[in-house]
Amino acid sequence: MGNNVTVEEKSLNAIIAKSIKKNWERQSLSDIGGANYAYKGVAEHIAKLHILFDAAGVGVGDKVALCGKNSAHWAITFLACLTKGVVAVPILHEFKAETIHHLVNHSEAKLLFTDAAIWENLDEKLMPDVEAVIYISEFGMPFSRSAELTETRNTLNEVFGRKYPYEFTAADVKYYEDSPEDLALINYTSGSTGMSKGVMLPYRSIWSNIKYCLEHLDFLESGDGIVNMLPLAHLYGMVIEMLHPFCKGCHCYFLTRVPSPKIILGAFAQVKPKLVITVPLILEKIIRNKIFPLLDKPLMKMLLHVPYLDNRLLAKVKSGLEEAFGGNLREVIIGGAALNPEVESFLQRINFPYTVGYGMTECGPLITYAPPSETQPHSVGRVVDRMLCRVDSPDPANVPGNLWVKGDNVMQGYYKNEKATKEVMPNDDGWMNTGDMCILKDDGSIYISGRSKTMILGPSGQNIYPEEIEAKLNNLPYVSESLVIDKGGKLEALIFPDFDAAHQEGLDREGLEKVMQQNLDTLNKDIPSYSRVSTYKLFDTEFEKTPKRSIKRFLYQP
């Protein structure tokens, strides 16, 4: 579906403009408990930002950096970049000041939009090419090297009034006519296996991702609400969770605080979303906190073995979980990392409407998807429209091999990094090596085995995928999260325990260590001899994560 599209139709800005005009009076972007904008208000703010861009001499192809927490204003600023032909450079607000300075300079950004709290730790002298710093919230300007921009900012409403003397209407929404290969944004990855690289995504990549969502998530309608809890500076949150619903005419609600289960569940109750887009960690926390303790009670365990009651009970559990998501749920899309097998098995058992997708920043982000009705355990779906894939393996259906992809979603390369680009796109034929190992079944279903970079070679040449061992280990008592590493030819498990649960059970450190040794013994009985774990090490704090909540593995390699 949707593969036969002419070049003229491949305009992202045409889709954005159409949605704004069609949904002019509808609510569009809101901070929960804060700012609230209708589509016409978003269009007006975009027009004001375009005036500021002009005053700063920022035009098509120039770079503008955004570094701030999720908010309606962040989304508006990003939309203003896209619709002006300006290259947006989203930077994660969790980055340290020196990293932000480096990425602003490396990207050659002319403007920096940021939050006041972040700006306090930055230094304009270390960003000599930046014309001005503008607050994302309400567009205040704490620093400027441009007299014209300063004057325009101070009289912005007056300048806007002169440009649109009667009123600003839908007829005034006229945006940059993007071509498929025009550069839309540079997104610096914060990967789990290495340091940041600037992914260059053209308009065709973002257009293709949004086109796919509009066609395949067709139950979503104008006016529907969606809870935005993923980082906007990451492609999954930016494109699938924000831009796609915006282009559908939906109402996006941004969580402006850290998305704890309590805050998320409160937002679901308020918004009652049909579609929830999340990462495994958030879903797993909700299920482990809300559902599993209930099912662990002796009476429930007994009832789950009574055939007729079993089905009724599971239906009630499913209904309760759907109610926790607001009671209006049609689909949960899980991406960003692998779903815990125990949680996935439970979701399958209650016939919960979930699906696991797969993608990466370099594909803006979608590579695979399948609707819940076609979801298969441990699969990440089939390759999406306008994309091709192949697996380097003598027997792709049974022997894991490197996954290669090609198509509209794929990046142009890494910004100012030809060496890194050549490593993943060596032949100038459009094919890109994802770095992931997978199996490709005859029906097109893809099963990810692990990262080729994290694969460990066993004592007799066997391929060991630490993610598969970690998935089993994470299901054992008092294990919150784990990493399996190669230490001198033997496998070691790095474990962050569930200290709260251990404390509730009266376990001290010595008792916890005994349980962990028992866990290792249990684990090793369940895996091949060549992948057995020899030792473990307890960590007192969580492992450092990427924005999509994957552990930064490279930090823990010996």
Side-chain angles (χ1 to χ4, degrees):
M1 189 196 301
N3 283 318
N4 300 319
V5 181
T6 64
V7 171
E8 289 74 24
E9 289 176 291
K10 281 191 174 185
S11 171
L12 174 60
N13 285 337
I15 294 176
I16 292 171
K18 182 179 178 182
S19 180
I20 288 174
K21 291 175 181 179
K22 182 181 177 184
N23 300 288
W24 193 248
E25 298 293 339
R26 289 186 190 277
Q27 291 303 300
S28 174
L29 305 173
S30 296
D31 296 335
I32 290 181
N36 188 41
Y37 293 95
Y39 277 84
K40 63 182 179 183
V42 170
E44 190 171 309
H45 267 70
I46 287 173
K48 287 180 177 178
L49 281 167
H50 286 179
I51 289 170
L52 290 181
F53 288 164
D54 288 339
V58 171
V60 174
D62 288 330
K63 321 295 191 305
V64 168
L66 285 84
C67 183
K69 292 183 177 180
N70 279 17
S71 69
H73 283 119
W74 194 108
I76 290 169
T77 306
F78 181 73
L79 285 162
C81 292
L82 284 179
T83 53
K84 185 72 170 171
V86 167
V87 179
V89 183
I91 297 173
L92 290 153
H93 72 273
E94 293 98 338
F95 280 160
K96 292 183 170 64
E98 57 265 32
T99 304
I100 296 171
H101 289 141
H102 167 69
L103 297 182
V104 167
N105 293 330
H106 184 268
S107 66
E108 302 170 282
K110 288 191 172 183
L111 295 175
L112 169 62
F113 284 82
T114 192
D115 295 340
I118 295 169
W119 174 241
E120 283 177 12
N121 298 309
L122 299 181
D123 184 349
E124 68 271 15
K125 292 190 290 295
L126 298 177
M127 299 179 288
D129 297 328
V130 169
E131 283 291 303
V133 173
I134 301 172
Y135 288 147
I136 293 171
S137 174
E138 301 299 343
F139 313 130
M141 199 159 64
F143 169 75
S144 172
R145 290 186 170 103
S146 165
E148 183 182 347
L149 177 58
T150 302
E151 174 64 21
T152 302
R153 172 63 194 93
N154 291 339
T155 58
L156 185 57
N157 288 334
E158 186 184 325
V159 175
F160 182 81
R162 285 201 302 270
K163 187 169 183 179
Y164 305 102
Y166 302 106
E167 63 175 332
F168 183 81
T169 69
D172 294 307
V173 173
K174 297 182 177 74
Y175 294 148
Y176 170 71
E177 293 181 9
D178 51 297
S179 296
E181 291 302 327
D182 287 347
L183 186 59
L185 63 103
I186 299 172
N187 196 220
Y188 286 89
T189 65
S190 180
S192 56
T193 59
M195 301 309 290
S196 292
K197 296 186 286 284
V199 176
M200 296 189 293
L201 290 171
Y203 278 84
R204 64 164 157 78
S205 173
I206 311 303
W207 169 87
S208 181
N209 274 274
I210 289 172
K211 180 86 169 166
Y212 185 86
C213 292
L214 292 175
E215 290 179 347
H216 292 268
L217 303 173
D218 54 2
F219 58 85
L220 207 61
E221 298 171 323
S222 294
D224 286 343
I226 190 160
V227 177
N228 296 74
M229 50 190 166
L230 302 175
L232 281 168
H234 192 274
L235 267 292
Y236 190 32
M238 176 205 302
V239 176
I240 311 303
E241 195 183 41
M242 185 274 284
L243 271 181
H244 145 241
F246 184 88
C247 290
K248 177 72 83 163
C250 296
H251 185 181
C252 297
Y253 292 81
F254 297 99
L255 296 179
T256 53
R257 291 186 289 167
V258 176
S260 67
K262 184 179 178 182
I263 288 170
I264 292 168
L265 293 172
F268 288 155
Q270 177 186 337
V271 177
K272 303 187 186 317
K274 287 182 187 173
L275 176 68
V276 169
I277 296 168
T278 186
V279 291
L281 193 77
I282 291 172
L283 182 70
E284 287 165 12
K285 274 188 176 178
I286 291 170
I287 290 172
R288 288 185 189 280
N289 293 345
K290 285 272 181 186
I291 307 297
F292 281 179
L294 183 69
L295 297 180
D296 269 343
K297 291 181 178 174
L299 178 62
M300 290 290 275
K301 282 185 173 179
M302 184 186 77
L303 292 175
L304 283 170
H305 286 94
V306 180
Y308 174 64
L309 280 175
D310 175 14
N311 291 336
R312 290 188 63 183
L313 204 56
L314 290 175
K316 196 165 184 179
V317 170
K318 177 188 177 185
S319 176
L321 188 55
E322 288 178 341
E323 198 57 42
F325 281 92
N328 198 27
L329 189 67
R330 293 282 296 276
E331 182 171 334
V332 174
I333 302 176
I334 303 157
L339 183 60
N340 182 287
E342 182 191 17
V343 172
E344 183 167 23
S345 175
F346 166 72
L347 294 176
Q348 286 268 331
R349 192 177 178 196
I350 65 171
N351 197 28
F352 190 72
Y354 83 99
T355 187
V356 178
Y358 159 70
M360 58 197 305
T361 303
E362 288 84 346
C363 289
L366 288 183
I367 295 175
T368 67
Y369 169 84
S373 59
E374 299 171 26
T375 294
Q376 299 176 44
H378 317 309
S379 172
V380 292
R382 297 179 299 277
V383 71
V384 298
D385 297 346
R386 295 170 292 281
M387 289 283 281
L388 302 171
C389 72
R390 73 167 197 255
V391 175
D392 278 359
S393 165
D395 182 8
N398 298 294
V399 179
N402 247 323
L403 175 66
W404 291 71
V405 293
K406 177 181 182 177
D408 278 6
N409 294 19
V410 178
M411 68 171 180
Q412 292 174 330
Y414 296 113
Y415 188 57
K416 296 197 291 194
N417 195 338
E418 187 64 29
K419 181 175 179 286
T421 302
K422 279 291 181 189
E423 284 174 4
V424 297
M425 305 175 79
N427 299 319
D428 297 327
D429 57 1
W431 284 99
M432 185 186 75
N433 185 353
T434 64
D436 288 318
M437 305 292 283
C438 77
I439 285 171
L440 175 61
K441 294 293 188 184
D442 293 339
D443 66 354
S445 298
I446 290 176
Y447 296 76
I448 304 293
S449 304
R451 300 279 302 166
S452 59
K453 286 184 181 177
T454 63
M455 188 187 77
I456 299 167
L457 207 59
S460 301
Q462 307 95 333
N463 292 342
I464 300 169
Y465 299 104
E467 295 92 342
E468 294 177 355
I469 303 172
E470 291 154 11
K472 293 179 183 293
L473 184 53
N474 291 347
N475 283 333
L476 295 173
Y478 306 113
V479 178
S480 181
E481 56 186 14
S482 64
L483 271 181
V484 172
I485 62 171
D486 181 3
K487 193 169 183 183
K490 292 188 174 181
L491 298 185
E492 180 177 64
L494 311 181
I495 300 170
F496 171 60
D498 187 338
F499 286 111
D500 291 339
H503 181 71
Q504 286 173 12
E505 294 295 325
L507 276 179
D508 59 11
R509 182 81 176 202
E510 187 179 343
L512 192 56
E513 287 178 353
K514 282 182 182 175
V515 172
M516 289 304 160
Q517 187 56 56
Q518 291 167 5
N519 284 345
L520 233 57
D521 297 339
T522 303
L523 172 73
N524 286 333
K525 288 175 187 170
D526 194 32
I527 55 180
S529 58
Y530 62 79
S531 60
R532 283 180 186 157
V533 178
S534 301
T535 57
Y536 74 88
K537 180 181 177 184
L538 294 188
F539 277 63
D540 292 327
T541 56
E542 279 192 42
F543 298 116
E544 281 199 46
K545 308 282 198 317
T546 70
K548 64 179 185 179
R549 304 298 293 169
S550 300
I551 296 169
K552 291 185 175 180
R553 309 184 75 94
F554 66 92
L555 295 178
Y556 302 94
Q557 299 301 327

